[in-house]
Amino acid sequence: MPPANEPLFTSEGRSSIHSEERAAQEDDALLGNQRRRSNTTRGVFWREIGLFTWAILATVAVIVLAILLKCQPSQNKPEKHTGKRNLVFMVSDGMGPASLSLTRSFRQYQNGLPIDDVLVLDEHFIGSSRTRSSNSLVTDSAAGATAFSCGKKSYNGAISILPDHTPCGTVLEAAKRAGYMTGLVVTTSLTDATPACFASHANIRSEEDLIAQQEVGHYPLGRVVDLMFGGGRCHFLPNTTSGSCRADNQDITKLAQDEYGWNYIDNRQDFDDIKAGGAAVKLPLLGLFADYNIPFEIDRRNMDDVYPSLEEMAQVALKALEAATQDSDKGFFLMIEGSRIDHAGHGNDPAAQVHEVMAYDRAFGSVVEFLEKSHVDGVLVATSDHETGGLATARQLDAHYPEYLWYPGVLANVSSSAEYLARRLNSEIDSNLLEGDKLKNWINEEFVKNGLGILDASDDELQLIIDQPKVSAYYFADMVSRRAQIGWSTHGHSAVDVNIYGTAGSSNLRGNHENTNVGEFLREYLDVDVDAVTKELIKGSKSFNIADTEEAGWTGRIPSEEDLQSVLRYHEELYGKAP
Ligand SMILES: *[C@@H]1O[C@H](CO)[C@@H](O)[C@H](O)[C@H]1NC(C)=O
Ligand SMILES: *[C@@H]1O[C@H](CO)[C@@H](O)[C@H](O)[C@H]1NC(C)=O
Ligand SMILES: [Zn+2]
């Protein structure tokens, strides 16, 4: 086959035109000019030469066209990226397609927007992802994030560990090895499954104390993260401190600073100083802004002086990483998670959910804008690990023919999450000494009317809350869902495909993909060697040991089937058992 750059069209194309002219002349002669009858034999000869040449040239032209077309970027041909570049990967934990419909309609209702008004996410929709794990059709966030970080399927509960319990190198670790700067920004605990999967390895996700030490660098690779913002401070503080949830007395904030060079901030004021540019950002930087989760956005907006928003954290992280890579030929890799869309799903709380998705959408939009303005090439890819709640934007409430509607106005009247109201109820119910109708009235006024915006609570509904205040979060959320005619099929996760979003440069993820393809995209975009990191981890495993996990090895004990089952009930402690 001739090389595509040979000038086939220029020289031979001309002779093709000439031979066609000649053939036409011959045709003329044959059909209309008796005078030239004596030249017929010669004419046939030329005509055959002409046809033959034309056939050869047509074949060559088809081949050349085929080669040229193959060189064009298309869906079949993977996009290649070269030069300095940044990659932002966003995860909307537990956000399925119905969450988008719910939030889009809610936002239109609340702000009086036209029916064609869409979310920023909607404008960047490119495909969908299949989410099953190695051992179940319904994944959890640990197996889901392992598919992104390692590009491999594993079992529910696995933190970048394969089914044979060996660690797999992650895209963040490989990015660090390749010279990129790296960051993690989340609204839940930094030790929770999604962030954990990028910078630690544990046989079961509940080993959050172990994950905290690994994330600051106490594991075979040393420190691989340059910036971490989120909640989960309790796993970094020794059990002798108030606000700790560690089982031991190790101070991971101290370990981070003394052994691994981290700068540490733990409050909104210090964050604001950095945000305003008043304090120079020194990396590595660990920012822990809540003991456990940062509050749901619906509640956080009233505590803005205590907790930064996802968008603010994302922007500060982007600027810090951009500045830190200014003189480097490598950019950065940043993972940003809207972590608590999942929690709103577990709690079946539609009002908390729409505010979480809107906050995530704002963060997404701000990343798009950042990348557009940046002088460095960059791509944003966003997806979910799975859907949570089996959310449906319609609900049949009784045996009658279903109504074709749901009521966003009910959600617009809710001012607090069910989680927040339940926590407040439980902290106040014992000390307020009310009984009977007075207690019922107090709950109705303070929580149902003021908190949920529900003015028509029935006696039975209020009695359920009084009887089981510990699980009142479920009752509060259910009262809202029924009135809004929003359906839920589970307090856990579901197996529905989730959406993939991306900016220019992410076309390799168009269409329907396995979640591991998303992981492959990340490593391919950055052009980093994840397998080399896996080898380094396995080699390092032999020499690395930490005192109190010596028996189990540095990735923690290998869980029993029972342990893995209990991992699936992971959020129970947040909401109590479902009624
Ligand atoms: C705190 O941790 C130490 C081990 O580091 C342990 O001996 C002690 O029992 C723990 N205390 C509590 C209250 O859990
Ligand atoms: C929302 O609250 C207002 C004021 O209390 C009330 O008039 C309205 O009916 C409520 N809307 C819905 C859909 O419940
Ligand atoms: Zn979940």
Side-chain angles (χ1 to χ4, degrees):
M1 198 178 291
N5 58 358
E6 265 184 24
L8 285 172
F9 279 136
T10 46
S11 58
E12 307 228 284
R14 211 179 305 126
S15 73
S16 161
I17 290 161
H18 290 169
S19 61
E20 271 172 32
E21 277 171 6
R22 273 197 298 273
Q25 281 161 10
E26 296 305 327
D27 280 350
D28 271 346
L30 286 169
L31 294 171
N33 200 334
Q34 300 295 321
R35 272 192 297 119
R36 298 182 72 171
R37 185 170 292 250
S38 62
N39 288 340
T40 311
T41 322
R42 208 171 136 241
V44 167
F45 170 77
W46 279 113
R47 195 161 86 133
E48 278 180 1
I49 290 279
L51 280 174
F52 178 70
T53 314
W54 190 88
I56 294 234
L57 287 169
T59 311
V60 169
V62 165
I63 291 167
V64 168
L65 265 177
I67 292 168
L68 283 177
L69 282 177
K70 262 197 103 176
C71 295
Q72 299 294 317
S74 80
Q75 232 159 301
N76 303 326
K77 174 81 183 171
E79 266 184 291
K80 276 276 174 206
H81 302 276
T82 52
K84 181 175 175 178
R85 56 201 181 273
N86 300 322
L87 175 59
V88 182
F89 178 50
M90 291 186 70
V91 179
S92 41
D93 199 311
M95 183 179 82
S99 301
L100 276 300
S101 311
L102 184 85
T103 306
R104 197 188 302 124
S105 300
F106 171 78
R107 196 165 156 276
Q108 287 170 5
Y109 173 90
Q110 198 190 33
N111 300 325
L113 301 169
I115 57 171
D116 61 353
D117 184 84
V118 294
L119 303 172
V120 186
L121 282 162
D122 290 321
E123 290 165 354
H124 293 85
F125 174 83
I126 57 170
S128 59
S129 162
R130 309 186 293 270
T131 65
R132 70 157 298 167
S133 67
S134 71
N135 68 337
S136 178
L137 289 172
V138 180
T139 188
D140 83 322
S141 292
T146 297
F148 302 145
S149 62
C150 293
K152 296 206 160 69
K153 295 276 185 187
S154 195
Y155 58 91
N156 288 359
I159 302 293
S160 288
I161 288 279
L162 298 178
D164 67 357
H165 296 292
T166 58
C168 49
T170 77
V171 61
L172 185 144
E173 292 166 332
K176 185 67 185 172
R177 282 288 178 270
Y180 289 89
M181 297 294 269
T182 61
L184 299 171
V185 171
V186 303
T187 50
T188 183
S189 300
L190 275 161
T191 52
D192 198 35
T194 309
C197 280
F198 286 88
S200 69
H201 303 268
N203 287 303
I204 187 163
R205 59 184 288 173
S206 47
E207 295 260 21
E208 290 183 67
D209 291 353
L210 186 71
I211 288 164
Q213 17 199 113
Q214 290 191 27
E215 285 179 335
V216 301
H218 199 61
Y219 82 125
L221 299 189
R223 183 180 63 78
V224 293
V225 195
D226 295 300
L227 180 147
M228 285 195 279
F229 286 161
R233 189 167 51 217
C234 73
H235 286 288
F236 291 81
L237 297 175
N239 67 1
T240 47
T241 324
S242 77
S244 167
C245 58
R246 276 191 82 81
D248 64 25
N249 57 10
Q250 288 193 69
D251 185 343
I252 305 304
T253 64
K254 192 167 184 308
L255 176 82
Q257 294 171 85
D258 295 352
E259 301 285 322
Y260 299 100
W262 287 87
N263 299 282
Y264 173 54
I265 58 172
D266 67 351
N267 61 79
R268 173 90 209 203
Q269 190 55 56
D270 290 349
F271 176 83
D272 284 347
D273 287 347
I274 288 170
K275 189 183 162 195
V281 186
K282 290 199 204 78
L283 299 184
L285 175 61
L286 172 63
L288 298 172
F289 304 118
D291 286 338
Y292 295 86
N293 298 306
I294 290 178
F296 279 127
E297 181 62 21
I298 192 175
D299 306 317
R300 192 207 65 82
R301 51 189 188 163
N302 303 319
M303 300 180 247
D304 193 44
D305 55 334
V306 186
Y307 305 100
S309 71
L310 181 64
E311 180 185 349
E312 286 176 286
M313 290 194 290
Q315 285 301 310
V316 171
L318 287 167
K319 289 197 185 100
L321 292 171
E322 181 179 57
T325 52
Q326 194 178 312
D327 300 321
S328 169
D329 63 341
K330 286 286 193 306
F332 59 80
F333 170 70
L334 173 62
M335 195 286 291
I336 301 168
E337 185 191 35
S339 317
R340 304 205 64 206
I341 300 167
D342 173 65
H343 296 177
H346 280 287
N348 290 3
D349 184 342
Q353 170 120 148
V354 292
H355 288 278
E356 285 308 293
V357 174
M358 286 193 299
Y360 179 74
D361 193 58
R362 284 194 293 274
F364 181 95
S366 80
V367 174
V368 172
E369 209 170 291
F370 175 91
L371 292 176
E372 276 168 1
K373 284 187 186 148
S374 174
H375 300 300
V376 178
D377 282 348
V379 160
L380 165 61
V381 164
T383 190
S384 308
D385 44 3
H386 54 76
E387 196 268 354
T388 304
L391 171 66
T393 49
R395 178 168 187 158
Q396 182 161 2
L397 290 170
D398 52 40
H400 294 111
Y401 192 76
E403 292 176 282
Y404 288 2
L405 48 78
W406 72 274
Y407 295 107
V410 174
L411 307 190
N413 276 359
V414 180
S415 52
S416 298
S417 70
E419 175 191 85
Y420 174 84
L421 293 174
R423 197 167 285 153
R424 218 191 101 201
L425 175 75
N426 282 291
S427 76
E428 293 176 17
I429 196 166
D430 293 332
S431 58
N432 79 2
L433 305 171
L434 296 171
E435 283 180 349
D437 280 354
K438 282 190 174 153
L439 177 60
K440 206 173 264 183
N441 249 337
W442 174 68
I443 289 175
N444 197 17
E445 291 296 327
E446 289 288 313
F447 299 90
V448 177
K449 286 186 183 169
N450 283 347
L452 302 178
I454 291 175
L455 310 176
D456 61 350
S458 72
D459 225 45
D460 289 350
E461 284 178 318
L462 295 171
Q463 193 58 48
L464 279 172
I465 295 164
I466 290 169
D467 291 346
Q468 282 188 279
K470 289 273 176 291
V471 293
S472 55
Y474 280 128
Y475 293 126
F476 287 141
D478 189 51
M479 288 170 77
V480 173
S481 293
R482 284 175 182 278
R483 283 168 175 79
Q485 294 191 208
I486 291 299
W488 301 93
S489 59
T490 174
H491 281 290
H493 300 171
S494 81
V496 69
D497 290 358
V498 293
N499 293 345
I500 304 177
Y501 303 92
T503 56
S506 61
S507 68
N508 293 351
L509 285 174
R510 273 189 215 145
N512 182 253
H513 295 270
E514 206 58 51
N515 55 3
T516 46
N517 294 149
V518 176
E520 283 158 17
F521 175 89
L522 302 178
R523 68 175 62 167
E524 279 164 16
Y525 179 78
L526 294 172
D527 191 21
V528 295
D529 191 350
V530 174
D531 296 333
V533 174
T534 301
K535 288 194 189 108
E536 195 184 337
L537 282 167
I538 288 168
K539 196 155 163 261
S541 295
K542 298 193 179 90
S543 51
F544 189 89
N545 255 319
I546 40 180
D548 47 340
T549 52
E550 221 149 354
E551 280 160 48
W554 66 274
T555 56
R557 73 205 155 80
I558 291 179
S560 65
E561 268 308 308
E562 208 173 274
D563 292 336
L564 288 174
Q565 282 307 310
S566 77
V567 151
L568 302 180
R569 297 191 298 271
Y570 185 68
H571 297 287
E572 230 173 48
E573 68 198 55
L574 288 172
Y575 296 101
K577 290 194 200 321

